[in-house]
Amino acid sequence: MTAGPGQVFFPRPAQAALRLPRDHVIGRAGLAQLGGPAGSGGLVLGLDEDRHPVAVRLFEGQPSVVAVVGTPNLVRVIAFRAVAVGALVRVLTSRPHLWHQLAESLGGYGRLVSVVAADAGPPGGGSPAAPVLTVLDADARPPDPRGRPASSGTMLTLLPAVSDSTASTLRLADIALLPRCDHAQARRACALLGVEARHVPRLVYAPDDGLAMVAGGEPTFLRLAPTEIERRLLSG
């Protein structure tokens, strides 16, 4: 498959058996908004309103910080897709039972996904060839908004809600992911992230698998579009 002018082609991940979305093409301008030009580290987060894949480059260049509001279900799918682009996943939690299915879906504990105690420190390594996605289950452990991931890694913090205790984590994130929420949560999230208030209804009336991805105050609305395997992670 060949990219057209002004587009970037992402090759099919080596782990094709994971049944992720097909090879895809995405415009450079849209991807730049989400953290840089495309490359082998492009991770598909969903489909936009025109059903074009929306990808973000998380594991090359500067380490990334991502904040996700909601439940572990969404984070399990993101972690699953991160493994498909070559990342190892490390989950810091005091609720390991919520992450069992993810580890088992990817071959069992310790291979591609490790689930460790909530007070464990951040991973000490990571490289462009073997990046690390560290998931902090902040419903089990208060987040440290000053924390940054190791080189070539990404720190993803799962936040239970938009609140006073999570506001600083949201503000400092390079990318924030917001699912459908009520008016109060939507207004507060938009205010914290510098998103225009006119976008509040789109958060309130988003579809079941709808997301708002915010980078630099600019929202991108998309649908997760999970595969059959990923639906099991969402329902787990």
Side-chain angles (χ1 to χ4, degrees):
M1 183 174 180
T2 304
Q7 296 180 314
V8 177
F9 172 64
F10 289 92
R12 186 184 300 276
Q15 297 89 340
L18 297 184
R19 298 166 63 186
L20 294 185
R22 297 180 300 171
D23 299 340
H24 53 284
V25 173
I26 184 167
R28 288 183 185 273
L31 191 58
Q33 175 184 314
L34 304 177
S40 60
L43 185 152
V44 177
L45 289 178
L47 304 177
D48 66 15
E49 294 172 320
D50 296 319
R51 299 197 61 79
H52 295 148
V54 176
V56 61
R57 185 176 174 181
L58 294 180
F59 301 116
E60 297 181 24
Q62 293 297 317
S64 301
V65 174
V66 180
V68 179
V69 177
T71 69
N73 297 346
L74 171 59
V75 177
R76 285 197 288 261
V77 172
I78 294 172
F80 189 79
R81 295 180 182 182
V83 168
V85 296
L88 300 176
V89 177
R90 189 169 188 258
V91 182
L92 279 61
T93 182
S94 61
R95 319 182 286 179
H97 61 284
L98 295 180
W99 304 94
H100 285 175
Q101 188 176 7
L102 173 64
E104 291 169 358
S105 297
L106 292 166
Y109 285 106
R111 295 187 60 193
L112 300 174
V113 176
S114 59
V115 181
V116 299
D119 57 357
S127 69
V132 177
L133 172 65
T134 300
V135 175
L136 174 60
D137 184 356
D139 199 38
R141 172 190 177 194
D144 181 356
R146 298 167 299 173
R148 301 292 298 186
S151 176
S152 299
T154 292
M155 175 73 77
L156 187 155
T157 302
L158 170 62
L159 304 173
V162 181
S163 64
D164 290 340
S165 62
T166 62
S168 56
T169 302
L170 278 170
R171 286 195 196 99
L172 294 177
D174 301 312
I175 298 171
L177 294 177
L178 306 169
R180 181 175 62 196
C181 52
D182 62 28
H183 278 90
Q185 288 276 296
R187 286 195 300 270
R188 189 167 194 178
C190 288
L192 283 171
L193 296 170
V195 175
E196 295 180 12
R198 63 186 175 87
H199 293 298
V200 167
R202 299 194 66 179
L203 273 173
V204 175
Y205 299 108
D208 290 344
D209 66 340
L211 293 174
M213 178 166 53
V214 182
E218 292 295 327
T220 298
F221 293 92
L222 56 98
R223 299 187 71 159
L224 190 61
T227 64
E228 181 180 346
I229 292 175
E230 292 170 346
R231 288 191 191 96
R232 292 200 290 269
L233 294 176
L234 284 168
S235 63

Short mmCIF file of all heavy atoms in Angstrom, two decimals, residues 64-114:
data_model
loop_
_atom_site.label_atom_id
_atom_site.label_comp_id
_atom_site.label_asym_id
_atom_site.label_seq_id
_atom_site.Cartn_x
_atom_site.Cartn_y
_atom_site.Cartn_z
N SER A 64 5.92 10.58 26.49
CA SER A 64 4.57 11.13 26.46
C SER A 64 3.84 10.85 27.77
O SER A 64 4.08 9.84 28.43
CB SER A 64 3.77 10.51 25.31
OG SER A 64 4.40 10.76 24.07
N VAL A 65 2.95 11.76 28.12
CA VAL A 65 2.09 11.59 29.29
C VAL A 65 0.64 11.65 28.81
O VAL A 65 0.23 12.62 28.16
CB VAL A 65 2.34 12.67 30.35
CG1 VAL A 65 1.34 12.55 31.49
CG2 VAL A 65 3.76 12.57 30.90
N VAL A 66 -0.12 10.62 29.10
CA VAL A 66 -1.51 10.51 28.66
C VAL A 66 -2.39 10.37 29.90
O VAL A 66 -2.06 9.61 30.82
CB VAL A 66 -1.71 9.29 27.74
CG1 VAL A 66 -3.17 9.19 27.30
CG2 VAL A 66 -0.79 9.38 26.53
N ALA A 67 -3.50 11.08 29.93
CA ALA A 67 -4.49 10.94 30.98
C ALA A 67 -5.79 10.42 30.37
O ALA A 67 -6.25 10.95 29.36
CB ALA A 67 -4.74 12.28 31.68
N VAL A 68 -6.35 9.38 30.97
CA VAL A 68 -7.59 8.78 30.48
C VAL A 68 -8.61 8.82 31.61
O VAL A 68 -8.34 8.31 32.72
CB VAL A 68 -7.37 7.32 30.03
CG1 VAL A 68 -8.69 6.71 29.56
CG2 VAL A 68 -6.32 7.25 28.93
N VAL A 69 -9.75 9.41 31.36
CA VAL A 69 -10.82 9.46 32.35
C VAL A 69 -11.78 8.32 32.07
O VAL A 69 -12.19 8.10 30.92
CB VAL A 69 -11.57 10.81 32.29
CG1 VAL A 69 -12.73 10.82 33.28
CG2 VAL A 69 -10.61 11.96 32.58
N GLY A 70 -12.13 7.57 33.10
CA GLY A 70 -13.11 6.50 32.92
C GLY A 70 -12.76 5.24 33.68
O GLY A 70 -12.26 5.28 34.80
N THR A 71 -13.00 4.10 33.04
CA THR A 71 -12.81 2.80 33.67
C THR A 71 -11.62 2.09 33.03
O THR A 71 -11.11 2.50 31.99
CB THR A 71 -14.06 1.93 33.47
OG1 THR A 71 -14.17 1.58 32.08
CG2 THR A 71 -15.32 2.68 33.90
N PRO A 72 -11.17 0.97 33.63
CA PRO A 72 -10.05 0.22 33.04
C PRO A 72 -10.35 -0.33 31.65
O PRO A 72 -9.41 -0.66 30.91
CB PRO A 72 -9.83 -0.92 34.04
CG PRO A 72 -10.34 -0.40 35.35
CD PRO A 72 -11.53 0.45 34.98
N ASN A 73 -11.61 -0.44 31.26
CA ASN A 73 -11.93 -1.06 29.98
C ASN A 73 -11.23 -0.39 28.81
O ASN A 73 -10.60 -1.04 27.97
CB ASN A 73 -13.44 -1.03 29.74
CG ASN A 73 -14.21 -1.84 30.76
OD1 ASN A 73 -13.63 -2.63 31.49
ND2 ASN A 73 -15.51 -1.65 30.81
N LEU A 74 -11.34 0.93 28.73
CA LEU A 74 -10.71 1.67 27.63
C LEU A 74 -9.20 1.51 27.67
O LEU A 74 -8.55 1.32 26.63
CB LEU A 74 -11.09 3.15 27.72
CG LEU A 74 -10.35 4.10 26.79
CD1 LEU A 74 -10.55 3.71 25.33
CD2 LEU A 74 -10.81 5.53 27.03
N VAL A 75 -8.61 1.58 28.85
CA VAL A 75 -7.16 1.48 28.96
C VAL A 75 -6.68 0.09 28.54
O VAL A 75 -5.61 -0.05 27.95
CB VAL A 75 -6.71 1.81 30.40
CG1 VAL A 75 -5.21 1.65 30.55
CG2 VAL A 75 -7.12 3.24 30.76
N ARG A 76 -7.47 -0.93 28.82
CA ARG A 76 -7.08 -2.28 28.39
C ARG A 76 -6.96 -2.35 26.87
O ARG A 76 -6.05 -2.98 26.33
CB ARG A 76 -8.10 -3.30 28.90
CG ARG A 76 -7.98 -3.60 30.39
CD ARG A 76 -8.70 -4.88 30.75
NE ARG A 76 -10.15 -4.74 30.71
CZ ARG A 76 -10.93 -4.54 31.77
NH1 ARG A 76 -10.38 -4.44 32.97
NH2 ARG A 76 -12.23 -4.46 31.66
N VAL A 77 -7.88 -1.71 26.16
CA VAL A 77 -7.82 -1.72 24.70
C VAL A 77 -6.60 -0.93 24.20
O VAL A 77 -5.89 -1.36 23.28
CB VAL A 77 -9.12 -1.16 24.09
CG1 VAL A 77 -8.98 -0.99 22.58
CG2 VAL A 77 -10.29 -2.08 24.41
N ILE A 78 -6.34 0.23 24.80
CA ILE A 78 -5.17 1.02 24.40
C ILE A 78 -3.89 0.22 24.64
O ILE A 78 -2.98 0.19 23.79
CB ILE A 78 -5.14 2.35 25.17
CG1 ILE A 78 -6.33 3.23 24.76
CG2 ILE A 78 -3.82 3.08 24.92
CD1 ILE A 78 -6.48 4.47 25.59
N ALA A 79 -3.80 -0.44 25.79
CA ALA A 79 -2.62 -1.25 26.09
C ALA A 79 -2.47 -2.39 25.09
O ALA A 79 -1.36 -2.73 24.65
CB ALA A 79 -2.71 -1.78 27.51
N PHE A 80 -3.58 -3.01 24.74
CA PHE A 80 -3.59 -4.10 23.77
C PHE A 80 -3.01 -3.62 22.43
O PHE A 80 -2.18 -4.28 21.80
CB PHE A 80 -5.03 -4.59 23.61
CG PHE A 80 -5.18 -5.85 22.81
CD1 PHE A 80 -4.92 -7.09 23.38
CD2 PHE A 80 -5.62 -5.81 21.50
CE1 PHE A 80 -5.09 -8.26 22.65
CE2 PHE A 80 -5.80 -6.97 20.76
CZ PHE A 80 -5.53 -8.20 21.35
N ARG A 81 -3.42 -2.44 22.01
CA ARG A 81 -2.94 -1.88 20.75
C ARG A 81 -1.48 -1.43 20.86
O ARG A 81 -0.73 -1.48 19.88
CB ARG A 81 -3.83 -0.72 20.31
CG ARG A 81 -5.24 -1.16 19.98
CD ARG A 81 -6.14 -0.02 19.54
NE ARG A 81 -7.49 -0.50 19.29
CZ ARG A 81 -8.49 0.27 18.86
NH1 ARG A 81 -8.29 1.56 18.64
NH2 ARG A 81 -9.70 -0.25 18.66
N ALA A 82 -1.07 -0.99 22.05
CA ALA A 82 0.32 -0.60 22.24
C ALA A 82 1.25 -1.79 22.06
O ALA A 82 2.34 -1.66 21.47
CB ALA A 82 0.50 0.01 23.63
N VAL A 83 0.84 -2.95 22.55
CA VAL A 83 1.64 -4.15 22.36
C VAL A 83 1.80 -4.46 20.87
O VAL A 83 2.86 -4.90 20.41
CB VAL A 83 1.01 -5.35 23.11
CG1 VAL A 83 1.65 -6.67 22.69
CG2 VAL A 83 1.15 -5.15 24.61
N ALA A 84 0.76 -4.20 20.10
CA ALA A 84 0.79 -4.47 18.66
C ALA A 84 1.80 -3.61 17.91
O ALA A 84 2.22 -3.98 16.82
CB ALA A 84 -0.60 -4.28 18.05
N VAL A 85 2.18 -2.46 18.47
CA VAL A 85 3.20 -1.63 17.82
C VAL A 85 4.55 -1.78 18.53
O VAL A 85 5.44 -0.95 18.35
CB VAL A 85 2.77 -0.15 17.74
CG1 VAL A 85 1.55 -0.01 16.86
CG2 VAL A 85 2.52 0.45 19.12
N GLY A 86 4.70 -2.84 19.34
CA GLY A 86 6.01 -3.17 19.88
C GLY A 86 6.30 -2.76 21.30
O GLY A 86 7.44 -2.89 21.76
N ALA A 87 5.31 -2.27 22.04
CA ALA A 87 5.55 -1.82 23.41
C ALA A 87 5.35 -2.95 24.41
O ALA A 87 4.58 -3.88 24.18
CB ALA A 87 4.62 -0.66 23.75
N LEU A 88 6.04 -2.84 25.52
CA LEU A 88 5.77 -3.65 26.70
C LEU A 88 4.89 -2.83 27.62
O LEU A 88 5.00 -1.60 27.68
CB LEU A 88 7.06 -4.04 27.41
CG LEU A 88 8.06 -4.86 26.57
CD1 LEU A 88 9.34 -5.09 27.38
CD2 LEU A 88 7.47 -6.17 26.12
N VAL A 89 4.00 -3.47 28.36
CA VAL A 89 3.04 -2.77 29.23
C VAL A 89 3.30 -3.15 30.68
O VAL A 89 3.46 -4.33 31.01
CB VAL A 89 1.59 -3.12 28.84
CG1 VAL A 89 0.61 -2.46 29.80
CG2 VAL A 89 1.31 -2.68 27.40
N ARG A 90 3.33 -2.15 31.53
CA ARG A 90 3.52 -2.36 32.96
C ARG A 90 2.40 -1.62 33.68
O ARG A 90 2.26 -0.41 33.55
CB ARG A 90 4.89 -1.80 33.39
CG ARG A 90 5.31 -2.15 34.81
CD ARG A 90 6.78 -1.77 34.97
NE ARG A 90 7.34 -2.22 36.22
CZ ARG A 90 7.55 -1.44 37.28
NH1 ARG A 90 7.21 -0.16 37.23
NH2 ARG A 90 8.08 -1.92 38.38
N VAL A 91 1.57 -2.36 34.43
CA VAL A 91 0.42 -1.79 35.12
C VAL A 91 0.72 -1.70 36.60
O VAL A 91 1.02 -2.71 37.25
CB VAL A 91 -0.85 -2.63 34.89
CG1 VAL A 91 -2.04 -1.99 35.59
CG2 VAL A 91 -1.12 -2.80 33.39
N LEU A 92 0.64 -0.49 37.16
CA LEU A 92 0.81 -0.27 38.59
C LEU A 92 -0.58 -0.15 39.21
O LEU A 92 -1.32 0.80 38.91
CB LEU A 92 1.62 1.00 38.86
CG LEU A 92 3.15 0.93 38.75
CD1 LEU A 92 3.58 0.52 37.35
CD2 LEU A 92 3.78 2.26 39.14
N THR A 93 -0.95 -1.08 40.06
CA THR A 93 -2.32 -1.11 40.59
C THR A 93 -2.38 -1.86 41.90
O THR A 93 -1.54 -2.72 42.19
CB THR A 93 -3.26 -1.77 39.56
OG1 THR A 93 -4.60 -1.74 40.06
CG2 THR A 93 -2.86 -3.21 39.29
N SER A 94 -3.39 -1.55 42.71
CA SER A 94 -3.70 -2.36 43.88
C SER A 94 -4.96 -3.19 43.62
O SER A 94 -5.50 -3.80 44.54
CB SER A 94 -3.91 -1.46 45.11
OG SER A 94 -4.98 -0.57 44.90
N ARG A 95 -5.39 -3.23 42.35
CA ARG A 95 -6.56 -4.02 41.94
C ARG A 95 -6.15 -4.94 40.78
O ARG A 95 -6.68 -4.83 39.68
CB ARG A 95 -7.70 -3.10 41.49
CG ARG A 95 -7.90 -1.87 42.33
CD ARG A 95 -9.08 -1.04 41.83
NE ARG A 95 -8.79 -0.31 40.59
CZ ARG A 95 -9.68 0.46 39.96
NH1 ARG A 95 -10.89 0.59 40.47
NH2 ARG A 95 -9.37 1.09 38.85
N PRO A 96 -5.22 -5.84 41.01
CA PRO A 96 -4.70 -6.64 39.89
C PRO A 96 -5.76 -7.48 39.19
O PRO A 96 -5.61 -7.80 38.01
CB PRO A 96 -3.64 -7.54 40.56
CG PRO A 96 -3.99 -7.54 42.01
CD PRO A 96 -4.58 -6.19 42.29
N HIS A 97 -6.84 -7.83 39.90
CA HIS A 97 -7.88 -8.66 39.28
C HIS A 97 -8.52 -7.96 38.07
O HIS A 97 -9.04 -8.63 37.17
CB HIS A 97 -8.94 -9.02 40.30
CG HIS A 97 -9.65 -7.82 40.89
ND1 HIS A 97 -9.07 -7.01 41.84
CD2 HIS A 97 -10.88 -7.30 40.63
CE1 HIS A 97 -9.91 -6.03 42.16
NE2 HIS A 97 -11.01 -6.18 41.44
N LEU A 98 -8.47 -6.63 38.04
CA LEU A 98 -9.07 -5.89 36.92
C LEU A 98 -8.21 -5.95 35.66
O LEU A 98 -8.68 -5.58 34.58
CB LEU A 98 -9.29 -4.43 37.32
CG LEU A 98 -10.30 -4.17 38.44
CD1 LEU A 98 -10.41 -2.69 38.72
CD2 LEU A 98 -11.67 -4.75 38.08
N TRP A 99 -6.98 -6.42 35.80
CA TRP A 99 -6.05 -6.43 34.67
C TRP A 99 -5.67 -7.85 34.24
O TRP A 99 -4.87 -8.03 33.34
CB TRP A 99 -4.81 -5.62 35.02
CG TRP A 99 -5.17 -4.24 35.44
CD1 TRP A 99 -5.37 -3.78 36.72
CD2 TRP A 99 -5.43 -3.11 34.59
NE1 TRP A 99 -5.72 -2.46 36.70
CE2 TRP A 99 -5.77 -2.02 35.41
CE3 TRP A 99 -5.39 -2.94 33.20
CZ2 TRP A 99 -6.07 -0.76 34.89
CZ3 TRP A 99 -5.70 -1.69 32.68
CH2 TRP A 99 -6.03 -0.61 33.52
N HIS A 100 -6.25 -8.86 34.89
CA HIS A 100 -5.94 -10.25 34.56
C HIS A 100 -6.23 -10.57 33.10
O HIS A 100 -5.42 -11.21 32.42
CB HIS A 100 -6.76 -11.19 35.45
CG HIS A 100 -6.24 -11.29 36.85
ND1 HIS A 100 -6.88 -12.01 37.84
CD2 HIS A 100 -5.14 -10.76 37.44
CE1 HIS A 100 -6.21 -11.90 38.97
NE2 HIS A 100 -5.15 -11.15 38.75
N GLN A 101 -7.39 -10.14 32.63
CA GLN A 101 -7.81 -10.52 31.28
C GLN A 101 -6.86 -9.96 30.23
O GLN A 101 -6.56 -10.63 29.23
CB GLN A 101 -9.24 -10.06 31.01
CG GLN A 101 -9.81 -10.59 29.70
CD GLN A 101 -11.26 -10.19 29.49
OE1 GLN A 101 -11.80 -9.41 30.26
NE2 GLN A 101 -11.88 -10.72 28.46
N LEU A 102 -6.36 -8.75 30.45
CA LEU A 102 -5.42 -8.16 29.51
C LEU A 102 -4.15 -9.00 29.43
O LEU A 102 -3.68 -9.34 28.34
CB LEU A 102 -5.08 -6.73 29.93
CG LEU A 102 -3.97 -6.05 29.12
CD1 LEU A 102 -4.40 -5.86 27.67
CD2 LEU A 102 -3.61 -4.70 29.75
N ALA A 103 -3.59 -9.35 30.58
CA ALA A 103 -2.36 -10.14 30.59
C ALA A 103 -2.58 -11.50 29.95
O ALA A 103 -1.75 -11.98 29.16
CB ALA A 103 -1.84 -10.29 32.02
N GLU A 104 -3.70 -12.12 30.26
CA GLU A 104 -3.98 -13.45 29.71
C GLU A 104 -4.20 -13.40 28.20
O GLU A 104 -3.82 -14.32 27.47
CB GLU A 104 -5.19 -14.04 30.42
CG GLU A 104 -4.91 -14.39 31.88
CD GLU A 104 -6.18 -14.74 32.65
OE1 GLU A 104 -7.26 -14.68 32.04
OE2 GLU A 104 -6.08 -15.07 33.83
N SER A 105 -4.81 -12.33 27.71
CA SER A 105 -5.06 -12.20 26.27
C SER A 105 -3.77 -12.07 25.48
O SER A 105 -3.74 -12.36 24.28
CB SER A 105 -5.95 -10.98 26.00
OG SER A 105 -7.22 -11.13 26.58
N LEU A 106 -2.71 -11.65 26.16
CA LEU A 106 -1.43 -11.43 25.49
C LEU A 106 -0.38 -12.44 25.94
O LEU A 106 0.82 -12.15 25.95
CB LEU A 106 -0.95 -10.00 25.74
CG LEU A 106 -1.83 -8.95 25.06
CD1 LEU A 106 -1.54 -7.56 25.59
CD2 LEU A 106 -1.61 -8.99 23.55
N GLY A 107 -0.82 -13.63 26.34
CA GLY A 107 0.12 -14.71 26.59
C GLY A 107 0.49 -14.95 28.03
O GLY A 107 1.42 -15.71 28.30
N GLY A 108 -0.19 -14.32 28.98
CA GLY A 108 0.09 -14.57 30.38
C GLY A 108 0.99 -13.50 30.99
O GLY A 108 1.58 -12.66 30.31
N TYR A 109 1.08 -13.52 32.33
CA TYR A 109 1.83 -12.51 33.07
C TYR A 109 3.32 -12.55 32.73
O TYR A 109 3.90 -13.60 32.51
CB TYR A 109 1.66 -12.71 34.57
CG TYR A 109 0.32 -12.26 35.08
CD1 TYR A 109 -0.66 -13.18 35.43
CD2 TYR A 109 0.03 -10.91 35.19
CE1 TYR A 109 -1.89 -12.77 35.89
CE2 TYR A 109 -1.20 -10.49 35.63
CZ TYR A 109 -2.16 -11.42 35.99
OH TYR A 109 -3.38 -11.02 36.43
N GLY A 110 3.92 -11.35 32.72
CA GLY A 110 5.35 -11.24 32.62
C GLY A 110 5.92 -11.28 31.21
O GLY A 110 7.10 -11.02 31.03
N ARG A 111 5.14 -11.63 30.22
CA ARG A 111 5.66 -11.69 28.86
C ARG A 111 5.57 -10.32 28.21
O ARG A 111 6.56 -9.64 28.00
CB ARG A 111 4.90 -12.73 28.05
CG ARG A 111 5.11 -14.16 28.56
CD ARG A 111 4.48 -15.16 27.61
NE ARG A 111 5.06 -15.06 26.27
CZ ARG A 111 4.53 -15.65 25.19
NH1 ARG A 111 3.40 -16.33 25.29
NH2 ARG A 111 5.11 -15.53 24.02
N LEU A 112 4.37 -9.90 27.85
CA LEU A 112 4.18 -8.59 27.24
C LEU A 112 3.52 -7.61 28.20
O LEU A 112 3.63 -6.39 28.02
CB LEU A 112 3.33 -8.73 25.98
CG LEU A 112 3.92 -9.63 24.90
CD1 LEU A 112 2.91 -9.82 23.75
CD2 LEU A 112 5.22 -9.08 24.37
N VAL A 113 2.82 -8.13 29.20
CA VAL A 113 2.15 -7.29 30.20
C VAL A 113 2.55 -7.76 31.59
O VAL A 113 2.48 -8.95 31.88
CB VAL A 113 0.62 -7.37 30.05
CG1 VAL A 113 -0.07 -6.56 31.16
CG2 VAL A 113 0.18 -6.88 28.69
N SER A 114 2.98 -6.83 32.43
CA SER A 114 3.25 -7.16 33.83
C SER A 114 2.35 -6.30 34.71
O SER A 114 2.14 -5.12 34.43
CB SER A 114 4.73 -6.93 34.17
OG SER A 114 5.10 -5.59 33.95
#
